[in-house]
Amino acid sequence: MQTSARLEGPTRSLIWHGGIVLLFVVAAFVPTLLLQRLFPYPFPFLFFGAVMASAWFGGKAAGLFAVLLSTLFVDYFFVPPFYSFSISTTAEAYFAAFVACALAASWVSSAKKRSEQALKEALDQLEVRVSERTAELMKTQTELAHLSQVLSMGELTASIAHEINQPLTAVVTHGHACSEWLSANPPNLEKAQQTVQRIIQDGTRAGAVLARIRSLFKKEAPTKDWLDINEVIHELTTFLRDDAIRRRIAIRTDLVPGLPKVKADRVQLQQVVLNLMMNGMDAMADTADRAKELLIRARGDESEIVVRVEDSGMGLDAEGNERIFNPFFTTKPHGIGMGLSISRSIIESHEGRLWASPRPSGGAIFQFTLPVHPRDSDG
């Protein structure tokens, strides 16, 4: 049964191609026979079309079969002596030329078909490879975005440890104080209760710090929610405070209270602001002729929020304004050149813009916009 099934496919294909060849050759034969009465010499040119069509649709074998049938038809009907397969001496050269031309037409047509099929297959394979490569690049970009987050946060280890240490130290101190108030004779319950409230507040503050750190390290799909940009900036200035003190950099904020909330992914927006602030601080590493100052401004209206990060570092030239956003372009000795590129992608995914410009008094200005959507919209 399996052998019969295997043979059925090739046999059906052979019959199909043979039928196509016969159809084309007969289609060439009938008008040629009618036109022959109008010419004093054989007129077999339509057979070349039949050969080419057969080779195109049926392949090389079908083309050769069409040459054979066309040769028999021409020999029998159109080359003297007529209605005979013998060939007169005067027609031998003409007949040989016809056979040679028919073979050439078959070869050209089948070769052209093979070339087109090969080109189509190559294009299909290229499209598949491009799709696979695009998927790989998107995955790589996601991995690099996460790597950028981790590298940025790695530089803040000391500041984070200090942020956690403060409330935990306060909890221990208040715990000892509470124990002393309760050990008094009589116990000072009012003071003990106040101390317990402070323990709760400091414990809650330590938990909030850990939650912020965990959210910055988490690798999960973006989740957009309504958030206050001023709150995001306050969190990150707190993170960077000790690092800035160590570098002798003053961080100032100029935030307009009551700005409209924006719908954005909190972790991604934290990453952008953190990256801009870290870049500004790094740019001021070699500044000696003026005060090191990092200024973060936030302004807004009914249509958009504008966040501006200014530093007094080495500044930017006209060419570098756009090049710094190119992947793998960096001015840092140990940078990977992906932070600003990823930051721009994040802002653009939030329908905003991120750009840079020189600061008139020296340094650079990085600013981005975020659209303000109505609270009842899905945007």
Side-chain angles (χ1 to χ4, degrees):
M1 291 294 293
Q2 293 180 352
T3 303
S4 175
R6 285 197 298 266
L7 292 176
E8 183 179 353
T11 302
R12 183 178 298 176
S13 177
L14 184 62
I15 294 174
W16 170 253
H17 289 157
I20 290 178
V21 171
L22 185 60
L23 177 64
F24 284 135
V25 173
V26 170
F29 167 71
V30 172
T32 300
L33 186 62
L34 297 176
L35 291 172
Q36 185 62 28
R37 300 174 185 177
L38 304 177
F39 299 93
Y41 49 85
F43 188 81
F45 303 109
L46 294 178
F47 285 101
F48 295 144
V51 169
M52 295 182 71
S54 299
W56 182 270
F57 290 103
K60 184 177 180 181
L64 293 176
F65 183 43
V67 171
L68 176 61
L69 285 182
S70 299
T71 300
L72 293 176
F73 273 101
V74 169
D75 183 16
Y76 189 81
F77 290 99
F78 303 106
V79 175
F82 300 119
Y83 307 111
S84 171
F85 289 108
S86 60
I87 303 173
S88 63
T89 305
T90 56
E92 286 180 355
Y94 181 87
F95 184 73
F98 170 80
V99 174
C101 290
L103 289 171
S106 174
W107 178 80
V108 168
S109 182
S110 60
K112 179 69 173 175
K113 180 64 174 181
R114 285 197 303 272
S115 298
E116 287 204 2
Q117 287 180 337
L119 179 60
K120 185 177 182 301
E121 291 175 0
L123 290 175
D124 291 341
Q125 292 177 2
L126 179 61
E127 186 177 353
V128 171
R129 290 175 184 172
V130 168
S131 300
E132 293 175 351
R133 186 60 177 162
T134 301
E136 291 175 2
L137 288 174
M138 292 179 66
K139 182 179 178 181
T140 302
Q141 185 182 20
T142 303
E143 295 294 333
L144 286 172
H146 183 246
L147 175 62
S148 177
Q149 275 183 230
V150 174
L151 290 177
S152 298
M153 287 302 301
E155 299 176 11
L156 301 176
T157 303
S159 298
I160 294 170
H162 180 75
E163 280 296 307
I164 298 175
N165 187 58
Q166 276 187 332
L168 292 182
T169 301
V171 166
V172 174
T173 302
H174 292 319
H176 286 300
C178 184
S179 178
E180 292 178 4
W181 291 124
L182 293 176
S183 300
N185 190 17
N188 192 333
L189 297 180
E190 182 180 356
K191 292 289 186 180
Q193 186 177 12
Q194 292 176 357
T195 306
V196 169
Q197 291 296 328
R198 294 192 186 99
I199 291 174
I200 294 173
Q201 291 174 358
D202 288 321
T204 303
R205 186 154 62 95
V209 172
L210 290 173
R212 290 199 302 267
I213 297 169
R214 186 168 59 250
S215 68
L216 283 170
F217 274 104
K218 275 196 299 188
K219 182 180 179 182
E220 56 186 26
T223 303
K224 292 185 179 181
D225 199 1
W226 295 103
L227 57 88
D228 186 344
I229 192 67
N230 286 347
E231 183 181 326
V232 172
I233 294 172
H234 278 307
E235 289 177 355
L236 293 174
T237 52
T238 302
F239 271 134
L240 287 168
R241 182 181 57 198
D242 287 343
D243 192 24
I245 293 173
R246 180 175 56 83
R247 300 193 196 193
R248 297 181 179 178
I249 296 173
I251 298 182
R252 293 197 305 111
T253 58
D254 181 11
L255 311 177
V256 175
L259 287 175
K261 291 190 175 182
V262 295
K263 194 167 189 180
D265 180 81
R266 187 181 195 86
V267 174
Q268 289 189 346
L269 209 56
Q270 285 174 328
Q271 181 184 350
V272 172
V273 178
L274 176 63
N275 184 263
L276 296 182
M277 294 175 68
M278 289 296 300
N279 284 349
M281 293 171 64
D282 291 340
M284 292 184 285
D286 299 326
T287 300
D289 58 342
R290 53 183 176 269
K292 298 180 181 180
E293 182 182 69
L294 187 70
L295 174 61
I296 304 96
R297 301 177 186 269
R299 297 287 186 271
D301 53 32
E302 296 180 354
S303 61
E304 67 179 12
I305 298 291
V306 181
V307 177
R308 181 167 170 158
V309 179
E310 302 181 23
D311 66 72
S312 57
M314 58 184 179
L316 299 170
D317 53 29
E319 182 182 358
N321 285 358
E322 281 302 319
R323 290 184 63 199
I324 56 176
F325 293 102
N326 293 338
F328 305 109
F329 177 84
T330 180
T331 57
K332 301 179 185 179
H334 305 291
I336 62 174
M338 289 301 299
L340 287 174
S341 174
I342 292 170
S343 296
R344 173 173 275 187
S345 298
I346 290 173
I347 294 301
E348 289 178 349
S349 72
H350 286 76
E351 303 177 25
R353 295 186 302 117
L354 170 62
W355 71 97
S357 58
R359 191 186 188 201
S361 58
I365 300 173
F366 287 83
Q367 49 192 329
F368 64 86
T369 64
L370 292 171
V372 174
H373 297 289
R375 278 302 193 98
D376 57 351
S377 72
D378 296 327

